[in-house]
Amino acid sequence: MNKSTSNIRLLLYFLICYFSTLPIMSTEYNIIPYPEHLTPKTGTFEFNKRTIILYDIKHPEVKKLAQQFYNQFELVTGLKLKMIDIKNADNSNAVIFQSGSFENREAYNLNISPKSIQIIAASPNGFFYGLQTLYQLLPPEIYGKKKVAIKKWSVPSVQITDSPRFAYRGLHLDVGRHFFPVEFIKKYIDAMAIHKFNKFHWHLTEDQGWRIEIKKYPKLTEIGSKRDETIIGHFYERFPQQYDGKPYGGFYTQDEAKEIVAYAAERCIDVIPEIEMPGHAQAAIAAYPFLSCTKDSTIKVATRWGIFKEVYCPRDTTFSFLEDVLTEIMEIFPSKYIHIGGDECPKDRWKSCPDCQSLIKSKNLKDENELQSYFIERIEKFVNSKGRQIIGWDEILDGGLAPNATVMSWRGIRGGIAAAKAGHDVIMTPGTHCYFDHYQSDPETEPMTIGGYTPLSKVYQYEPIPTELSTEESKHILGAQANVWTEYMPTSDNVEYMAFPRISAMAEVVWSSKTNRNWNLFRNRMLTNFKRYEQLNIKPSNAFFDVQFQSNLTADKKLQITLSCDHPASQIRYSINGKQQIYKEPFLLPESAKITATAYVKGKEVGNPITKSFIVSKLTGLNYSKNATSSWYDGGNVNSLTDGVSGNTRVYSQWLGSLKKRDAQVIIDLQTVQQIKYFSVGLLNAPALCVLYPPELKLYGSVNGSDYQLLAAKEISASTAPTWEMFRSELTFPPTEVRYLKLELKNAGACPADRTENSEGSMLFMDEIAAW
């Protein structure tokens, strides 16, 4: 052997060793969430009519899981596998449930060879999760409801050692805004189980509906579960608001709730009930007015979404009521945790309530925030006395945190960081990544949501442990949770559309090790997961197949467009102003354009055509300043006026807003003296928000930044449209040499009296200024 051949062989050996340590890319192992350790082996295990199931007869819970596998396998294959005590049979041609020793009760090993399938665990939880992984190695038809014509049922040989990264792996469902039947709740739990979630956060009470039977207080469901009607669309979408005029209601009996608790327990899922307090209580107050500070018997169950001033009044009668309610709740739900809400509690009623002010004084409290802390601590003592612990949204930090409370951090990550540093346990659920009521594809093509934009990739990229925490402090991060708020999800199909496939991404965030998470590998595995959805009759969003646009400004102020699609085998075809092209790499837009892009797989269109318009002008990419006397809103986008992207009526992040009855002034430096003869600006009119068109706008130009001349002015008529509308106001003037442009917009003034929520005055919203 010559030296050259020896070196090549040595190189090949090292390459083989290196690549064997990387995450497996084979389509044989499409497991979600991905296991901690997976080692592929050669060969397959093939099921046949002589295959047996072995289990330890002394462990009835394991027998039950083995029986579940037997039943499902017989249903879809027609094969009746014998079930035998593990002590009385040979291990060959067998599916074996074998006890082992593990520190983590959710851990398992799965060993598959041509001879046998072996699931090793120390608890029913471990066996259950091992079985879920085995199901995912079988064809997706294993999840079906009838026999299928597959001649050979087999699984690839593999060795898996697996356990979860986090102990708390949660999924939430709001049934207060919209009610969903028991069968759908079970379907939701089934999907959770397949993805190895272990906590179902059931949001049972809201301003718009009380959804759980409390026998001591029957009016909670007789009155509190029903609303007269429901708002159509967003509250701020039109003025006056429209309602559907249809009574709406629904609740779960205690027997139904117990049925769901038992159903979830069989799938290793704890059901955590949420009873909101002190805010989000209007449905309860409508049923029992004594719970409010005003004791107003005319208060009704809320018919629109949002935050309401009617909250529980911290009187002894209220606490007696809540203790009675929680006593019945804890009899239904055996979970360690009881969620008591604690979020979005306006203090208006408390500030004007003599009883509340007297309590603040007698308890030596600083203010109403500390009164809320007193409220939460008193409830916590009661819950603790029953051997349970409370969870609360991160507002329970305000005014001081109850001693044993677990914090659910939703307003970003700061609350979670503060709680963990103070030694409290935390569940991370920031709205930026974990709120599945946000848009997941282009908002202008999607069904209406509450707003925001959280695509699948963003969910997958979420890291629950903040970098600000030390190793010791990070131990208080129990895990993370995805939330499904249902204001804009009136049906179970709507819930499925919004939750899937993002549930699959969150499953991997909370189960898989950080080093095993790989977006490109995940989206490959998702192709099989979509087939599982089909078998489970889950109707997911098709955003996975849609083209996503990303625009950014280069260092030299050019507008660059990047197109992508989650489908790993997609080809993107796009047109610019009608000219067709195949996407290969990011490209620059030299001028304003309308781009339409669609994803194709094997020549077949798979996604929705997505169209976006971009504005390129002499102002694109330039910085600007705003008058300091005005309060401003920019949606977190500091370049919203010059980033080339126009605002829309679905999300507000592209808009720059001048608030509180103030005139607006924007100055932009073109960097050099240039000739300008045309200017335009986008304007928004949203009467329910009291965002009104400016009655007048003026544009000035200057060569030195101090001496300005008027270039053009325009008066704009007030709109009479009841809904959102936007238009581009255009100014044309003789060609003029300028370096600086100053735009002035006059505020429309006071908000009309019938729009009292904006009593401080009307607002101005503008977007994308352009000049040529």
Side-chain angles (χ1 to χ4, degrees):
M1 180 186 299
N2 61 40
K3 186 175 181 180
S4 167
T5 303
S6 177
N7 287 342
I8 290 173
R9 290 187 175 181
L10 186 62
L11 175 62
L12 287 173
Y13 171 77
F14 281 116
L15 286 172
I16 291 169
C17 290
Y18 170 73
F19 283 110
S20 68
T21 67
L22 294 178
I24 303 304
M25 294 184 67
S26 170
T27 56
E28 290 186 303
Y29 306 104
N30 293 312
I31 302 167
I32 295 175
Y34 198 77
E36 187 174 10
H37 299 290
L38 186 154
T39 304
K41 300 293 183 179
T42 57
T44 60
F45 176 88
E46 294 187 13
F47 289 86
N48 57 53
K49 61 184 180 181
R50 292 181 296 278
T51 301
I52 58 175
I53 299 173
L54 302 181
Y55 65 96
D56 191 336
I57 199 170
K58 298 194 303 291
H59 295 92
E61 290 176 314
V62 177
K63 179 183 177 181
K64 193 172 185 179
L65 288 171
Q67 185 68 54
Q68 288 175 5
F69 177 73
Y70 170 92
N71 293 342
Q72 184 63 22
F73 196 78
E74 180 190 7
L75 175 66
V76 297
T77 69
L79 291 175
K80 296 185 178 182
L81 310 180
K82 288 185 178 180
M83 294 181 59
I84 303 174
D85 185 356
I86 195 170
K87 294 182 179 179
N88 300 328
D90 191 301
N91 288 355
S92 61
N93 195 16
V95 179
I96 307 164
F97 292 81
Q98 183 171 323
S99 296
S101 179
F102 296 88
E103 289 185 13
N104 188 330
R105 65 191 300 270
E106 295 185 304
Y108 70 92
N109 289 350
L110 175 62
N111 301 321
I112 300 177
S113 70
K115 179 183 177 182
S116 66
I117 297 171
Q118 186 181 46
I119 302 174
I120 306 172
S123 75
N125 301 64
F127 282 113
F128 182 81
Y129 295 134
L131 187 55
Q132 301 315 304
T133 300
L134 174 59
Y135 279 134
Q136 291 198 13
L137 291 172
L138 285 158
E141 288 79 5
I142 190 64
Y143 293 104
K145 301 297 183 184
K146 60 183 179 180
K147 184 179 178 180
V148 294
I150 294 179
K151 292 183 178 180
K152 185 175 76 172
W153 286 85
S154 64
V155 286
S157 296
V158 70
Q159 186 174 47
I160 292 173
T161 302
D162 199 13
S163 63
R165 181 185 178 194
F166 291 105
Y168 188 107
R169 305 180 301 281
L171 194 59
H172 155 287
L173 182 63
D174 163 24
V175 298
R177 276 55 177 256
H178 283 104
F179 175 80
F180 304 99
V182 169
E183 288 310 307
F184 176 72
I185 303 299
K186 290 181 177 180
K187 183 180 181 182
Y188 198 73
I189 289 169
D190 285 339
M192 289 179 63
I194 291 167
H195 289 89
K196 301 185 175 76
F197 286 99
N198 66 349
K199 308 293 181 188
F200 173 42
H201 175 175
W202 203 6
H203 188 84
L204 288 165
T205 69
E206 259 303 337
D207 297 299
Q208 298 82 11
W210 183 285
R211 304 295 180 209
I212 181 70
E213 176 190 23
I214 301 297
K215 293 184 178 180
K216 189 168 183 177
Y217 298 99
K219 290 182 181 179
L220 287 173
T221 47
E222 291 171 3
I223 296 174
S225 71
K226 304 167 186 175
R227 59 179 180 259
D228 292 340
E229 57 187 356
T230 304
I231 192 170
I232 298 173
H234 281 285
F235 177 77
Y236 295 117
E237 180 181 348
R238 63 177 293 123
F239 186 85
Q241 287 76 29
Q242 287 188 329
Y243 293 81
D244 62 13
K246 300 175 182 178
Y248 186 92
F251 68 92
Y252 305 97
T253 66
Q254 291 195 5
D255 286 343
E256 287 174 328
K258 289 175 182 177
E259 179 185 341
I260 288 168
V261 167
Y263 189 86
E266 288 181 350
R267 289 150 182 80
C268 301
I269 293 170
D270 298 326
V271 181
I272 299 173
E274 181 178 1
I275 305 298
E276 276 272 22
M277 63 185 78
H280 289 289
Q282 188 162 315
I285 290 169
Y288 294 98
F290 75 86
L291 298 170
S292 74
C293 291
T294 63
K295 299 183 181 179
D296 183 354
S297 61
T298 65
I299 294 169
K300 292 188 174 184
V301 178
T303 57
R304 63 172 178 85
W305 323 126
I307 301 172
F308 297 84
K309 295 178 181 179
E310 306 307 328
V311 302
Y312 289 124
C313 200
R315 299 189 186 101
D316 287 343
T317 50
T318 301
F319 287 113
S320 295
F321 164 84
L322 289 171
E323 289 175 5
D324 291 340
V325 167
L326 289 172
T327 296
E328 291 195 33
I329 288 295
M330 287 185 278
E331 289 171 355
I332 301 168
F333 299 93
S335 57
K336 172 183 176 181
Y337 295 110
I338 303 295
H339 202 302
I340 51 82
D343 63 314
E344 297 178 332
C345 177
K347 309 301 190 294
D348 304 64
R349 297 290 184 255
W350 291 0
K351 289 177 180 179
S352 60
C353 168
D355 291 338
C356 298
Q357 295 306 308
S358 176
L359 186 59
I360 289 174
K361 186 176 181 180
S362 66
K363 297 296 181 182
N364 197 28
L365 304 175
K366 181 180 178 182
D367 55 21
E368 287 76 18
N369 283 332
E370 288 196 0
L371 180 56
Q372 175 163 336
S373 180
Y374 164 81
F375 191 113
I376 299 299
E377 286 186 22
R378 183 162 171 174
I379 292 296
E380 184 192 51
K381 287 178 182 178
F382 176 75
V383 172
N384 289 167
S385 74
K386 304 296 184 181
R388 311 291 186 91
Q389 291 181 253
I390 68 165
I391 298 175
W393 301 106
D394 58 41
E395 284 96 331
I396 67 173
L397 287 161
D398 302 340
L401 187 56
N404 304 310
T406 296
V407 173
M408 193 164 271
S409 185
W410 75 277
R411 296 177 299 176
I413 64 174
R414 307 313 303 177
I417 292 170
K421 285 185 176 292
H424 286 264
D425 287 342
V426 177
I427 299 153
M428 300 300 290
T429 180
T432 52
H433 293 76
C434 302
Y435 270 45
F436 289 177
D437 54 344
H438 292 179
Y439 291 105
Q440 52 195 316
S441 186
D442 179 43
E444 294 184 85
T445 66
E446 286 283 282
M448 177 177 287
T449 76
I450 198 167
Y453 179 60
T454 308
L456 183 69
S457 58
K458 187 174 182 180
V459 176
Y460 192 80
Q461 290 158 7
Y462 177 56
E463 169 48 44
I465 297 181
T467 56
E468 292 88 343
L469 297 181
S470 67
T471 301
E472 193 62 28
E473 290 166 343
S474 67
K475 293 178 182 178
H476 287 291
I477 305 298
L478 302 181
Q481 175 175 291
N483 297 326
V484 181
W485 301 103
T486 62
E487 288 97 329
Y488 302 98
M489 304 178 208
T491 70
S492 56
D493 282 356
N494 296 140
V495 172
E496 290 178 13
Y497 183 91
M498 296 301 292
F500 296 90
R502 290 185 286 192
I503 278 176
S504 300
M506 181 56 68
E508 201 141 301
V509 167
V510 292
W511 179 281
S512 302
S513 66
K514 192 174 179 180
T515 55
N516 272 349
R517 281 167 52 197
N518 180 300
W519 166 246
N520 286 328
L521 301 185
F522 170 78
R523 63 195 191 121
N524 271 281
R525 286 181 275 121
M526 276 302 302
L527 297 178
T528 300
N529 224 34
F530 276 100
K531 296 177 182 178
R532 296 181 188 125
Y533 293 159
E534 184 177 356
Q535 293 297 320
L536 293 162
N537 195 30
I538 290 171
K539 303 173 185 66
S541 163
N542 286 323
F544 186 84
F545 306 92
D546 289 345
V547 176
Q548 297 174 30
F549 284 73
Q550 181 181 345
S551 60
N552 65 284
L553 297 166
T554 63
D556 57 351
K557 311 298 184 184
K558 303 295 184 182
L559 184 61
Q560 180 174 272
I561 306 298
T562 302
L563 304 178
S564 63
C565 178
D566 291 343
H567 194 299
S570 63
Q571 179 193 73
I572 298 174
R573 303 178 189 177
Y574 69 100
S575 64
I576 299 180
N577 296 332
K579 183 181 178 182
Q580 296 284 341
Q581 302 177 61
I582 294 176
Y583 179 77
K584 296 180 180 178
E585 59 185 2
F587 55 88
L588 300 178
L589 270 187
E591 60 185 2
S592 299
K594 178 182 288 187
I595 303 175
T596 299
T598 311
Y600 288 77
V601 174
K602 297 180 179 179
K604 181 181 178 181
E605 182 177 313
V606 294
N608 297 313
I610 306 295
T611 300
K612 305 288 284 185
S613 293
F614 298 92
I615 297 174
V616 178
S617 79
K618 292 183 177 182
L619 307 186
T620 301
L622 298 181
N623 297 324
Y624 49 87
S625 62
K626 308 181 292 290
N627 53 317
T629 59
S630 181
S631 299
W632 292 89
Y633 162 86
D634 64 11
N637 181 0
V638 296
N639 295 113
S640 61
L641 287 185
T642 59
D643 63 359
V645 182
S646 296
N648 61 67
T649 57
R650 289 299 185 94
V651 292
Y652 293 121
S653 58
Q654 283 300 134
W655 293 96
L656 178 68
S658 174
L659 311 180
K660 298 181 180 178
K661 201 178 175 180
R662 305 294 181 119
D663 295 340
Q665 182 187 92
V666 174
I667 297 175
I668 187 164
D669 181 358
L670 280 70
Q671 305 299 310
T672 61
V673 175
Q674 301 181 46
Q675 189 180 82
I676 301 294
K677 62 179 181 179
Y678 177 86
F679 179 89
S680 69
V681 56
L683 299 171
L684 177 69
N685 190 76
L689 264 174
C690 209
V691 173
L692 305 178
Y693 287 145
E696 182 181 56
L697 59 85
K698 294 180 180 180
L699 182 70
Y700 298 85
S702 172
V703 293
N704 57 17
S706 58
D707 300 312
Y708 284 90
Q709 61 173 318
L710 180 66
L711 299 179
K714 187 173 186 178
E715 292 184 355
I716 300 174
S717 300
S719 174
T720 58
T723 58
W724 290 330
E725 66 174 8
M726 56 186 186
F727 86 106
R728 293 199 66 78
S729 183
E730 301 174 348
L731 298 173
T732 304
F733 42 90
T736 308
E737 298 287 327
V738 299
R739 173 172 171 175
Y740 300 90
L741 290 174
K742 178 168 66 175
L743 175 65
E744 292 184 350
L745 300 95
K746 187 174 180 61
N747 193 289
C751 190
D754 53 4
R755 280 161 263 188
T756 55
E757 289 196 4
N758 297 284
S759 58
E760 292 182 319
S762 64
M763 299 178 282
L764 280 167
F765 270 43
M766 69 187 100
D767 183 46
E768 212 51 39
I769 54 176
W772 291 271

